[in-house]
Amino acid sequence: MTQTDYKFSLLRERPLLLQVEDSPMNLFAVLEVKRGSQRRWSALACFRKARLYGLFFALTAMFLIMASYILNGDKKGLLLTPSPYHFSSLVNPGPLPFNLSSAKDYANIKMVVKTIASKVEFSSRPIPDWKDLVQSEPHMFSVIPRKFLPDVKNPCWYEEHSGNITGDPYGANLYARYSKRFRTAFDHLRNTFREHLYHRGNKYYRLRCLPYFYIIGQPKCGTTDLYDRLRLHPDVRFTTFKEPHWWTRKRFGIIRLSEGFHDRYPVEDYLDLFDPAAYQIHDHLQGNSSGGWSKHNIIIGEASASTMWDNNAWVYFYDNATEGEPPFLIQDFVHAVQPDARFIVMLRDPVERLYSDYLYFGIANKSAEDFHEKVSESLQLFDGCLAEFSMRSCVYNTTLNNAMPVRLQVGLYIVYLLDWLTVFHRDQILVLRLEDHASNRKYTMHQVFDFLSLGPLTEQKEAEITKSPASNTRRPADKNLGPMLPVTKEILRDFYSPFNEKLAKVLRNESFRWEGHSKHM
């Protein structure tokens, strides 16, 4: 293997293999060679070189850190790549590198989008063997049983409590340790823990539960509003806080990408988050319940908008990749422990989603022009990846995802949905549109109630759930920035169009093409 081939293998294999002596200029040259069409990249580089040089300088710094991680073998010392919306602090933006009114610049970026569209393909993925999943996460599978209590709607089971019943059952919980805002909830749980133990013979047991349903995505698509409304239903409970991100991040020891690795959160810490609802279900089973609703019908939800798409941790933990595609995805593990789970997905026009995402997570100097810059840069990086790898490889490529200054990949809904449908049946996944929810909340909430087999509500309670103001809407300061540039919207519509077309076909609903004007919250 030549030195050039070795350097370019960082995208094919793992984003941790860059040699210490590599420079930004060398890396840029490597990418030019390996992406094939030198003439096309030369045309693009004429208006993007200044920005890309700075970007690749930052990438080189990132890889040097990762290389030191490999040499030291110490994950706790690794600083992960920052969020794409924090990446600008590492990159010298320089002057505006292109002319928005330039016909040449417009033609170049349109050519990139056209090239991407020509490479869109939706291949099937191999389903991992159950034994391989167990071998990858033996502790999780040793804690969660294969069968749950038959008389409870929610998936629950009794687990022997081997610790001291007078001790603190939540003292080692990493959720409580790393976040002050969760400590109050855990204080209440530990004060009532002993009274909810089940005593049989000389042993004590505690009721453990997993969610009956998950709100799995997508970011900036109305999941917070859906969560807030469902919390008002008398038969629905959620974790002690929204978005525990256990399946995608905490399970691997990731708290925030900018902070690096911490201790991996064991599955027991995740199960602790369902204890408030488990206490109520236990009280009903033991005949100690009181109240106006049927506690045996309580169902628990979990709402982490990263669950559907975020597999960025895979490169640090799974070695047996195939052509750059992860051997395991999040849904493989969820299905292995909960084959009957149900999932709710809320989507919106991916063009509007991306702009909302940028406005929400961007730190400073936000503008329609800056957004256009970041979109152009991200499209070129995505196109460069597709020159060498499959669509799935690029969508799940951790290095690429961390390098793109806007999260283009999150709006490729169909790629994620097809992968979820490889392990779950179509009737286990409810897919909604934010635009429909914003215009008729009563209709979408009834879809959710039917999907979760929830009982009827009084008119007063239904009105409380469906008529309350929308949650987590755009901040006033961001609204003042105005809409994205028309040219940016046109470019993004062309980029997302083939993905939306496939999504509409799979869901048998043309509204998922988002060809008309969209509303946003």
Side-chain angles (χ1 to χ4, degrees), residues 111-157:
M111 181 176 64
V112 171
V113 174
K114 186 176 181 180
T115 303
I116 293 173
S118 69
K119 300 171 185 173
V120 172
E121 47 80 25
F122 304 100
S123 60
S124 59
R125 63 178 287 261
I127 307 303
D129 187 80
W130 189 83
K131 292 181 180 179
D132 293 332
L133 295 171
V134 174
Q135 184 178 4
S136 176
E137 293 281 356
H139 178 70
M140 179 179 71
F141 286 96
S142 70
V143 172
I144 301 175
R146 298 297 301 273
K147 294 183 179 180
F148 305 118
L149 294 175
D151 299 328
V152 179
K153 182 178 180 180
N154 199 84
C156 298
W157 68 97

Side-chain angles (χ1 to χ4, degrees), residues 474-514:
R474 187 171 295 175
R475 294 171 295 207
D478 292 338
K479 290 182 180 179
N480 293 336
L481 292 176
M484 73 183 81
L485 298 172
V487 65
T488 317
K489 179 174 288 190
E490 180 185 348
I491 289 168
L492 285 173
R493 290 219 178 282
D494 289 345
F495 169 69
Y496 284 117
S497 178
F499 300 95
N500 293 343
E501 183 178 350
K502 179 68 172 180
L503 178 68
K505 184 176 181 180
V506 169
L507 297 178
R508 299 180 181 179
N509 186 336
E510 287 297 301
S511 66
F512 284 96
R513 293 169 67 101
W514 285 286

